[in-house]
Each structure stands twice: as C-alpha cells, then as structure tokens.
Amino acid sequence: MSRYFLAIDIGASSGRHILGSVENGKIVLEEVYRFWNGMDHVDGTLCWDVDRLFNEIIAGMKKCKEIGKIPVSVGIDTWGVDFVLLDKEDNIVGQTVGYRDHRTEGMDEEVYKIISEDDLYARTGIQKAIYNTIYQLMAVKKTHPEYLEKADAMLMIPDYFHFKLSGKKVQEYSEATTSQLINPVTKDWDYELIDMLGFPRGIFQKVLMPGTTIGNLTDEVRELVGYDCKVVLPPTHDTASAVMAIPTNAEDTCYISSGTWSLMGVEMAEANCSPKSEEANFTNEGGYGGKITYLANIMGLWMIQSVRNQLAPDMSYGDLCEQASHETIQAVVDCQDSSFLSPDDMVEAVKDYCRKTNQEVPETLPALASVIYNSLAKCYAEKLEEIQKITGVKYDKINIIGGGSNAAYLNELTAKYTGVGVHAGPGEATAIGNILSQMLEDGTFADLKEARNCVADSFEIKIY
C-alpha cells in the first residue's frame, strides 16, 4: 500500500496540493487541489489574505480524504521575506503586507544609519533587496511602532501556516535566512544585530532545520480535514525546496530555479560573505541539511506573466513562448532594473526602457516576450560568469528546474547565451523537494543522494 506525502506549494500567483508517493521505484505526483493567490489592495497597501489562504489549505487537505489518499505528513512552502506579527492571543497585529508594497522605500537608509551595508552583508551574507524582512520590520518600527510593542511572535508566512496546522510556533531555517537577520555560521538569529536595530528579540522563534517533525495536526484541524498526520518542515522557502530536487549529485552543479523569480546559483557547504560576493550581489540563503544555496535573485518570469496578463490573459505560456521564438527584434533590457519590480504597467515599463536606451520598441505581445526571454538569457550568461569567477569552478551545464524549465525557447536562448548545455526539468521541482524532505524524515530514502537519483529516474529531463 502506497504511503502518501502532501506538499502544499504556495507561490505568489497560485497554490497547489500535490501528493507524492514512490511506486515501482519512481516518484509519482498527483495534484489534488489548486487555488489562486495574489496580493490585495487594502487601504492603499498590498497585502496577503492569509485567512483565505489557510481556508484553501484546509480545502485541499480535505480533498485527500475524499479521494481516499491520507498523507503520512504534510509540509508547506511559500515565497520568502514576508511575515505576520501575532499578539499574546495569537491574533494578527496590523496587516500581512506583501513584499511588492512600497512601504520599504527609504528603509535601507534607516537600517544603514545603524549598520553599514557592507557590515550587514559581512554579518548575514544576504544580498540587499529592499523587500527583505529586515527592511519590512524597520518600516513597521518607523510607521507603526505600536505593532512591535503589541507583538508576542513574528512568524514567516509558511511558519504561520504550520502553526495554524500544528499549534507550534517555530521558524524554519531556509525561510528565516531570507530575513537578512540570520547568522550564516551559527544558523540562528543574529540577536546582537536584532538588538542594534531595536527589534524586540522576544518575537523571534526557535530556528529548526528542514526535515524536522514539529507535531501532529491540532484537534481543530483534524476535525476539519477528517484525519491526522504529521506536520514536517520542508525547506519552507520555495527556492530551497526546488534545489533539493535537482536531478544530479554532481559536486559542481549550477542551477536556475525558474519561476516568478529566477534564482541562479550553486550549493555550498559554507557561506561566502566576502566583499567580492557582495559586489556581485549574490546571496547566501539556507538549504536542506544546513547547506547554503548561494545564488543571485533575477527578476524572472514575473515580467512574462505581467505582460501576458495585461495583453492576452487567456493565452497559454507555451503558445506565447512559441510565438516569441519567431520574432527578430534585437532589443534587450536589464532584468535587474528596479523599474520592473512592481510597475503599474509592465508593457509600458519594457517599452520605456527600450526607448530610453535607443533600441527598437516591441509593439506586440510576442515581440515583448522575445525581448524579455532574450534579456533573461543574457542575464543568466552574465551571472554564470560571475559565479565562475567567485567559485573558481567552470560549469559545463546548467540545470533549470521549476515551472520555467518548460519554456523551450528560453532554454534554447540560455544555452546560446551561456555557451553551456542546459538540462531542463523537473517542472514541479518545488513540490518534489518539499515531498523529498518528508520522505527523508519518514525513511523512504537513506539520504539526499539517493533521493536525487530517484528524481533523475522519475522525471523527464530535456537537454538543450
């Protein structure tokens, strides 16, 4: 009889409940529930509706009962940096603000009044991104200090959902590192830094490693879903889960976790917090087994999603990718430019960049897509060079994992611009990594090496 493990993978635009099992030596996935996600405008602020999301979590868990496939355990992964504040009665304090909100504008300068940018990188190894938790907390401190006074706990988004399932307040390591408040050596909160910034240290919860069982479902949740199971922490930051599912055990492996964001990097045993690493804007986020996912955060398919949603929301990404491949426009944009982070009009942002740089302006959706795909591939090539300089390793291939691995034209361009082979797949890498961490905790695999070998045997990997 199959043993099922439930990954709840919540991205910035959608969430999925995916059951994983091993049958005849191969990993089998079954999507049982899917739901929409997105930020809502609440009183001029971009917020997540965590109550609605938790209701979706419960609805998907009920589906498992309906189809007669009760999971051994469940784990949730999401995007990074965002959090909730809870009071002593576990009520949310203030709003659950999303990372694309503009509240953090100028908060970097407030942080740098206390600690310099260079010293902050040397302490944490996390690249500067204006939406990092450190700047969000500074925004709360500056605009709503009463929230921090009232708060009894700070939980990152997936940790909040795990708390709602299990009743246990803990902080998972990979997600915690996106806060820019973790010491990469001790792999715990940098309490000295937290004190310097004037954040209440009591709100920060115990940091646990992915693969840890934190308990079972609460009585209330058991009654709602109709069964009991363990709650196991996967790498709750979706990138760290995706990296677990790289289908190779080669020591020198370069990857791109391709989705709303493109995360390009390598796995390392120890963080690189050097000035050279800071200058190249690489980040040392946490991974499974306490490893470091050393990577650059690139704007990614958010740009494609935005222009498609504006101009042809019913067009499939496969069709858009195919149409873009026939375009001849040569223009490229800087994917890392801040103008593409959260524009009101992505189409106009791309056109405006081309005008300002005296390039041909894309006028159709396929032309816009072609510009974005070429720009991403060019950025990947530049980052590959930087990674090779910093690590001293020459990489002969790139493993592209995640939903973006299905974008054939982008894969072709990546091979062309980087000059190395591209191995694309699996597409459901984040959910697979989530499931692998649960399977490893349950003893399905002896170690991550065996688990990755099984991934390579179970899913189609396309080579470009």
Side-chain angles (χ1 to χ4, degrees):
M1 185 176 175
S2 295
R3 291 174 68 77
Y4 298 100
F5 303 85
L6 179 60
I8 303 175
D9 171 30
I10 309 177
S13 58
S14 68
R16 299 90 47 77
H17 289 58
I18 296 180
L19 283 170
S21 58
V22 175
E23 297 175 20
N24 300 317
K26 294 192 175 182
I27 298 167
V28 177
L29 303 180
E30 180 182 356
E31 183 180 303
V32 296
Y33 190 72
R34 179 178 284 262
F35 56 94
W36 173 86
N37 191 25
M39 298 179 204
D40 300 321
H41 285 273
V42 180
D43 299 327
T45 302
L46 284 171
C47 299
W48 300 107
D49 187 343
V50 290
D51 289 337
R52 181 186 67 80
L53 289 176
F54 188 68
N55 287 337
E56 297 284 16
I57 288 169
I58 294 298
M61 291 177 71
K62 286 179 179 177
K63 285 286 182 183
C64 299
K65 171 79 169 179
E66 289 173 18
I67 63 176
K69 296 180 178 179
I70 307 300
V72 173
S73 60
V74 59
I76 301 171
D77 65 79
T78 75
W79 61 97
V81 308
D82 290 342
F83 60 90
V84 299
L85 295 173
L86 300 178
D87 65 17
K88 284 182 166 57
E89 286 73 46
D90 297 328
N91 298 310
I92 293 178
V93 179
Q95 298 169 315
T96 306
V97 181
Y99 62 86
R100 291 193 191 277
D101 186 76
H102 294 288
R103 69 172 174 170
T104 52
E105 289 178 0
M107 291 303 125
D108 49 347
E109 295 307 318
E110 294 297 328
V111 168
Y112 302 150
K113 288 176 184 176
I114 298 164
I115 180 171
S116 73
E117 185 174 356
D118 292 344
D119 286 347
L120 182 60
Y121 187 87
R123 287 184 83 114
T124 66
I126 299 298
Q127 72 178 143
K128 179 190 175 179
I130 195 61
Y131 45 74
N132 285 354
T133 315
I134 187 173
Y135 306 114
Q136 294 199 46
L137 282 170
M138 184 57 74
V140 175
K141 180 185 171 188
K142 289 294 178 182
T143 60
H144 290 286
E146 70 277 13
Y147 291 172
L148 288 180
E149 290 170 11
K150 194 176 181 182
D152 186 63
M154 188 276 287
L155 291 173
M156 306 295 273
I157 295 292
D159 298 307
Y160 173 69
F161 291 140
H162 284 135
F163 162 63
K164 293 282 284 183
L165 289 178
S166 69
K168 305 292 174 56
K169 292 176 190 167
V170 299
Q171 202 80 59
E172 186 276 321
Y173 167 64
S174 70
E175 185 82 4
T177 61
T178 70
S179 70
Q180 207 170 358
L181 291 166
I182 288 284
N183 181 314
V185 177
T186 66
K187 305 186 191 307
D188 197 359
W189 297 113
D190 186 335
Y191 285 107
E192 183 181 28
L193 174 61
I194 286 166
D195 290 343
M196 288 166 58
L197 294 166
F199 303 153
R201 64 160 61 196
I203 66 175
F204 296 90
Q205 309 302 301
K206 183 178 181 180
V207 177
L208 296 179
M209 284 292 158
T212 303
T213 298
I214 60 172
N216 283 55
L217 301 180
T218 65
D219 292 342
E220 181 182 358
V221 173
R222 277 200 298 271
E223 189 172 332
L224 285 171
V225 302
Y227 58 86
D228 191 18
C229 67
K230 294 183 292 185
V231 179
V232 175
L233 297 178
T236 58
H237 187 211
D238 49 13
T239 302
S241 267
V243 170
M244 275 193 77
I246 295 172
T248 178
N249 284 297
E251 195 165 307
D252 296 321
T253 297
C254 182
Y255 60 81
I256 300 173
S257 177
S258 180
T260 301
W261 295 90
S262 290
L263 298 311
M264 184 175 188
V266 296
E267 276 188 300
M268 302 199 307
E270 297 178 352
N272 181 342
C273 302
S274 68
K276 186 186 296 184
S277 177
E278 180 189 7
E279 185 181 352
N281 208 24
F282 278 82
T283 197
N284 294 269
E285 294 177 357
Y288 185 81
K291 286 187 177 179
I292 298 296
T293 55
Y294 184 69
L295 55 86
N297 201 334
I298 301 165
M299 198 67 73
L301 295 176
W302 153 251
M303 297 175 70
I304 286 288
Q305 292 163 0
S306 297
V307 297
R308 174 258 195 185
N309 290 345
Q310 277 183 247
L311 300 179
D314 294 328
M315 180 182 286
S316 73
Y317 288 112
D319 287 345
L320 180 54
C321 203
E322 168 62 22
Q323 290 183 26
S325 70
H326 299 294
E327 294 291 321
T328 57
I329 187 169
Q330 298 296 306
V332 292
V333 301
D334 178 5
C335 296
Q336 300 296 75
D337 193 89
S338 60
S339 63
F340 302 122
L341 176 61
S342 188
D344 293 328
D345 186 327
M346 184 67 80
V347 170
E348 191 54 36
V350 174
K351 289 183 176 182
D352 189 52
Y353 189 98
C354 292
R355 288 190 200 101
K356 287 179 178 176
T357 52
N358 298 313
Q359 298 182 86
E360 181 182 352
V361 178
E363 298 296 346
T364 66
L365 177 55
L368 282 158
S370 180
V371 169
I372 293 169
Y373 283 133
N374 275 274
S375 301
L376 283 172
K378 181 174 181 288
C379 188
Y380 296 161
E382 292 166 354
K383 287 298 175 187
L384 178 62
E385 276 192 37
E386 290 178 345
I387 292 170
Q388 291 182 152
K389 282 179 185 175
I390 291 170
T391 63
V393 175
K394 188 164 180 60
Y395 300 92
D396 59 3
K397 70 175 180 179
I398 298 171
N399 286 273
I400 299 183
I401 53 178
S405 66
N406 297 314
Y409 180 47
L410 178 56
N411 295 336
E412 291 169 7
L413 289 173
T414 301
K416 171 188 166 185
Y417 277 87
T418 61
V420 301
V422 167
H423 291 219
E428 294 288 357
T430 300
I432 294 167
N434 183 325
I435 289 164
L436 291 183
S437 64
Q438 297 180 53
M439 288 180 168
L440 283 161
E441 188 277 340
D442 193 60
T444 304
F445 300 112
D447 51 31
L448 183 56
K449 180 178 180 180
E450 183 182 338
R452 280 177 167 164
N453 284 337
C454 192
V455 172
D457 292 339
S458 303
F459 301 96
E460 180 184 10
I461 311 299
K462 294 181 179 178
I463 300 175
Y464 296 84

